[in-house]
Amino acid sequence: MPMDATAVLLMGPTASGKSALALAVAARAPVEIVSVDSAQVYRGMDVGTAKPNAAERRAVPHHLIDVVDPTEAYSAARFRADAIGLVGEIVARGRVPLFVGGTMLYFKALRDGLSALPAADPGVRAAIDAEARRRGWPALHAELARVDPETAGRLAPGDAQRIQRALEVFRVTGVPLSRQLVERTAPAPFALHAIGLAPADRGALHRRIAARFDAMLAAGLVEELQGLRARYALHPGLPSMRCVGYRQAWRHLEGDYDRVELRERGVFATRQLAKRQLTWLRGWSGLRTFDCFDPQLASKVLAALRPAVEA
């Protein structure tokens, strides 16, 4: 990695216009886009993740999209390793890596490093998922509270993905996750310039979220999931199927929600996701934040990034 390597981070809540802004930056600066999206890594999950289309991908190189099948897991640790490797490759081509997305845990892993936790164990995960189907996630949360009360105390009883990981770590190592979070890998071995998008008008973001979810439904989100279920051995406990939109569409296909409730629950879940993402952004030190609805957004961000992206 060159000593003067630089990467740009473009972060913001869902529906804040990150992808459009990234393309605008790419049209005027020598960048390659690296997706920071824990849903866009899955092949075949296109409609519900708002992946860039073929023309957009031809216009500028995109990375870390369509990396794994929806039956697989993709961790923050794997993202970090892939991302650091990509930075070296992109910088060697004389370009600047532009990390774009809303998966804040991935951004944090890239910046700060990660604890040295064990790799995923498919057998242990399958056993935990089977137990959850029999007993429910609140029961497994209670089990986690017995072996790792510190971790259980910061997780909701229905937070399936994080409960599963904490129990997996304990069952594989015999050591609570909370004790293993002390040792971390090194921070990113290159400079980071962080840009954040946040709405001056939260209501406007909510309206955009609703319109975007409606567009996904019209574009065939439910039909896309039907096709994925026919092609892959999927179940609702998989990380891919916990993604916002797909989780609600799954319940619709199971007959739990009609189309109206699918839409209502999908919009509400997306708004809650945006709220969590904005909370992460407020805690990010050194962040330069711009109003995502500013008509002059692209020119202002380009001016702010000029020192980092000048050829």
Side-chain angles (χ1 to χ4, degrees):
M1 187 73 63
M3 293 294 292
D4 60 348
T6 296
V8 174
L9 311 182
L10 176 55
M11 304 179 283
T14 184
S16 60
K18 299 180 296 295
S19 297
L21 177 58
L23 291 170
V25 171
R28 296 166 60 183
V31 304
E32 295 187 22
I33 295 172
V34 183
S35 171
V36 188
D37 190 305
S38 60
Q40 289 189 358
V41 297
Y42 295 111
R43 301 184 188 103
M45 293 173 55
D46 303 330
V47 174
T49 65
K51 282 180 187 170
N53 60 37
E56 291 166 339
R57 294 198 218 182
R58 286 193 299 269
V60 57
H62 284 71
H63 304 278
L64 298 188
I65 294 174
D66 296 334
V67 177
V68 296
D69 288 339
T71 51
E72 302 174 69
Y74 188 86
S75 66
R78 181 170 173 185
F79 166 80
R80 187 175 194 274
D82 289 346
I84 289 174
L86 281 168
V87 169
E89 296 170 13
I90 293 168
V91 170
R93 289 191 284 269
R95 304 178 74 80
V96 176
L98 175 60
F99 287 87
V100 182
T103 302
M104 301 304 170
L105 177 62
Y106 286 8
F107 280 117
K108 188 175 188 302
L110 180 63
R111 183 189 67 176
D112 299 337
L114 285 166
S115 301
L117 299 175
D121 186 311
V124 173
R125 288 195 169 188
I128 293 171
D129 281 336
E131 290 177 40
R133 287 193 289 274
R134 291 195 312 270
R135 303 166 52 202
W137 286 107
L140 292 183
H141 181 267
E143 177 183 327
L144 179 63
R146 291 192 293 272
V147 299
D148 188 354
E150 182 177 339
T151 299
R154 59 182 176 81
L155 300 180
D159 193 343
Q161 187 169 355
R162 291 180 176 83
I163 294 170
Q164 180 198 59
R165 179 55 174 159
L167 283 174
E168 176 192 29
V169 168
F170 180 77
R171 293 184 184 184
V172 169
T173 66
V175 180
L177 175 64
S178 55
R179 282 175 50 190
Q180 298 193 42
L181 291 177
V182 177
E183 297 181 8
R184 304 186 71 83
T185 55
F190 40 80
L192 297 174
H193 292 261
I195 296 292
L197 300 185
D201 181 354
R202 188 74 65 93
L205 181 66
H206 291 171
R207 290 189 291 274
R208 184 184 282 181
I209 285 171
R212 179 166 144 166
F213 197 81
D214 287 338
M216 288 178 177
L217 289 174
L221 172 61
V222 173
E223 293 75 16
E224 180 179 76
L225 180 56
Q226 283 178 313
L228 290 170
R229 283 169 39 136
R231 181 178 177 187
Y232 297 102
L234 300 176
H235 60 81
L238 287 167
S240 61
M241 294 299 102
R242 295 180 192 140
C243 294
V244 171
Y246 291 93
R247 184 169 69 246
Q248 290 76 27
W250 185 286
R251 297 287 298 273
H252 171 67
L253 289 174
E254 292 296 302
D256 297 331
Y257 303 156
D258 61 17
R259 189 85 173 189
V260 172
E261 188 170 6
L262 160 62
R263 192 261 182 190
E264 291 175 350
R265 287 181 178 266
V267 170
F268 178 77
T270 309
R271 287 174 57 170
Q272 292 299 107
L273 171 62
K275 181 179 179 181
R276 293 193 297 272
Q277 290 167 321
L278 287 167
T279 298
W280 272 87
L281 284 179
R282 285 195 294 271
W284 191 282
S285 61
L287 183 68
R288 296 194 64 178
T289 304
F290 296 82
D291 175 18
C292 63
F293 294 105
D294 187 339
Q296 303 301 317
L297 176 63
S299 59
K300 290 180 179 180
V301 169
L302 277 162
L305 292 179
R306 189 167 293 118
V309 301
E310 283 180 337

